[in-house]
Amino acid sequence: MKKVLITGAAGFLGSHLTDRFLKEGYYVIGMDNFITGDKKNIKHLEHNPNFEFIEYDVTKHISIDGGLDYILHFASPASPIDYLKIPIQTLKVGSLGTHNLLGLAKAKRSRILIASTSEIYGDPLVHPQTEDYYGNVNTIGPRGVYDEAKRFQESITMAYNRFHGLETRIVRIFNTYGPKMRLNDGRVIPAFMGQALRGEDLTIFGDGSQTRSFCYVDDQVEGIYRLLLSDYDHPVNIGNPHEISIKDFAEEIIKLTGTSQKVIYKDLPVNDPMQRQPDISLAKKLLGWEPKVNRAEGMKITYDYFKSLTEEELYKSEHKDFSNYTTK
Ligand code: UDP
């Protein structure tokens, strides 16, 4: 039985990956310190003999008994609101955490896949974004703690690949959504859906002309799975190229949820990228991968998930806006 370590296993993507690897017949060691992860996401695995959970902060030295075939490093805050609340942890998990996991991979001779992000392209001047674009990131802006940690993560991963001959994979993840996202994480999909469910107006930041391209989680997981098993060690974009403005997206959510609320406009957060769309030609060519779930379908499943949350969960997660976003 192959053994895989997944960091951030109680998070949104980490928990979906955990389920996928268990389904594929792997033994999974999940690791999380619950800073942004949620015990609820892995509760169903409590008695699974092929799953083991270690509550741990990966920025500290990591020891694992026995062999490890694969490591997937998915531990990280992943929402702009988190970067403001826990900026140092965000930097540490991407830098020190990655360093520790690369060291572990080297010791165990494991193949390691690193979760990078479209954020390494910053506010992109090339559209759609191809893997050979170097990006446009403000190093000292509020999002810089995430963007630069992830850029460093890619650099150190390639250094271990070149210097130590480590087998590495780098996935650049574009906006992904689905069940198990945190309702209060401040990102646009949970924010709009939570607002609709609570009977609040939908908050659009800026004039809503900024674009995003949303990928359903099952498609994302399939892309990551194929990339891990491929023999390609340079970064690969995984996301859904179907782009939409935030304003049009709010209208879609209003229709889907049937809310009678309207949209209201708030200030655009500092360094909020104006456009984002993955060029997925490389993933198509290398992995024979492309997204299968269209937005209407994926949003419906996601809304059904948020609808199934308890009143307590719905209301404890007060919507947080970016009013404390620094302009410095
Ligand atoms: N956004 C919005 N209203 C919200 C939350 C987010 O208009 O309540 C906007 C945000 O400014 C950004 C886009 O939606 O332009 C996507 O934001 P998200 O935080 O989901 O992720 P990002 O792609 O910026 O990392």
Side-chain angles (χ1 to χ4, degrees):
M1 198 172 208
K2 292 213 167 182
K3 214 193 244 186
V4 53
L5 168 68
I6 301 180
T7 73
F12 165 53
L13 283 176
S15 62
H16 282 277
L17 283 162
T18 298
D19 287 341
R20 174 64 187 266
F21 277 86
L22 287 169
K23 208 171 118 205
E24 298 288 343
Y26 289 77
Y27 183 89
V28 179
I29 303 174
M31 198 172 265
D32 208 297
N33 64 354
F34 299 117
I35 285 196
T36 56
D38 190 341
K39 291 193 169 105
K40 191 181 152 192
N41 290 340
I42 47 168
K43 179 117 189 50
H44 61 292
L45 302 175
E46 231 167 18
H47 304 295
N48 189 320
N50 296 331
F51 180 68
E52 171 185 338
F53 183 75
I54 305 173
E55 184 170 344
Y56 198 71
D57 175 354
V58 297
T59 65
K60 303 197 173 83
H61 180 85
I62 307 163
S63 319
I64 298 281
D65 291 335
L68 263 185
D69 298 284
Y70 300 121
I71 297 173
L72 287 94
H73 182 26
F74 278 73
S76 177
S79 154
I81 205 86
D82 294 336
Y83 316 149
L84 289 176
K85 268 184 6 209
I86 40 174
I88 315 285
Q89 286 94 332
T90 303
L91 279 158
K92 282 171 74 178
V93 74
S95 54
L96 306 182
T98 303
H99 184 213
N100 288 336
L101 288 154
L102 289 164
L104 181 69
K106 179 170 153 256
K108 303 276 182 194
R109 295 191 175 82
S110 328
R111 179 179 296 179
I112 179 166
L113 182 143
I114 296 294
S116 186
T117 166
S118 53
E119 281 283 322
I120 66 105
Y121 300 121
D123 192 3
L125 306 176
V126 163
H127 193 73
Q129 292 78 57
T130 42
E131 287 86 351
D132 57 5
Y133 175 49
Y134 293 165
N136 177 36
V137 171
N138 176 6
T139 56
I140 58 166
R143 300 171 84 110
V145 295
Y146 183 65
D147 303 2
E148 290 301 335
K150 291 292 187 180
R151 290 171 68 94
F152 171 84
Q153 180 183 61
E154 291 196 2
S155 305
I156 193 171
T157 298
M158 288 313 295
Y160 268 72
N161 174 300
R162 294 188 182 112
F163 191 74
H164 292 302
L166 201 68
E167 280 193 39
T168 58
R169 305 287 178 265
I170 299 173
V171 56
R172 288 188 182 151
I173 299 169
F174 282 67
N175 295 65
T176 299
Y177 70 96
K180 297 188 179 180
M181 288 186 96
R182 268 157 61 216
L183 190 66
N184 65 351
D185 84 352
R187 283 189 283 184
V188 69
I189 292 171
F192 284 174
M193 289 191 177
Q195 287 163 342
L197 285 167
R198 288 188 297 266
E200 297 164 6
D201 290 332
L202 273 59
T203 51
I204 291 184
F205 299 155
D207 63 6
S209 63
Q210 72 272 31
T211 67
R212 292 294 185 275
S213 312
F214 299 111
C215 181
Y216 187 63
V217 64
D218 289 355
D219 285 331
Q220 183 63 245
V221 164
E222 180 64 31
I224 293 167
Y225 187 74
R226 291 191 192 195
L227 176 62
L228 176 74
L229 300 183
S230 78
D231 57 7
Y232 189 76
D233 59 11
H234 277 62
V236 179
N237 291 339
I238 298 286
N240 189 321
H242 198 165
E243 186 183 13
I244 186 170
S245 72
I246 294 301
K247 193 165 187 283
D248 290 345
F249 183 60
E251 291 305 323
E252 274 190 12
I253 298 290
I254 287 174
K255 273 206 197 100
L256 167 71
T257 59
T259 176
S260 48
Q261 303 300 128
K262 54 183 192 322
V263 299
I264 52 169
Y265 291 86
K266 294 204 165 192
D267 288 345
L268 188 69
V270 176
N271 297 144
D272 195 281
M274 277 316 290
Q275 49 183 8
R276 186 181 285 157
Q277 181 191 32
D279 182 315
I280 58 164
S281 319
L282 186 62
K284 275 188 185 162
K285 193 175 104 200
L286 282 175
L287 314 173
W289 173 90
E290 63 183 326
K292 298 260 181 290
V293 182
N294 69 35
R295 199 167 53 239
E297 221 180 312
M299 288 298 163
K300 189 176 171 321
I301 302 169
T302 307
Y303 186 52
D304 286 345
Y305 168 77
F306 285 128
K307 270 200 296 198
S308 75
L309 298 181
T310 61
E311 286 274 300
E312 197 195 339
E313 287 170 317
L314 187 62
Y315 283 94
K316 93 168 175 230
S317 55
E318 92 279 14
H319 174 62
K320 303 187 176 125
D321 67 20
F322 290 79
S323 49
N324 61 346
Y325 232 86
T326 175
T327 48
K328 279 194 246 154

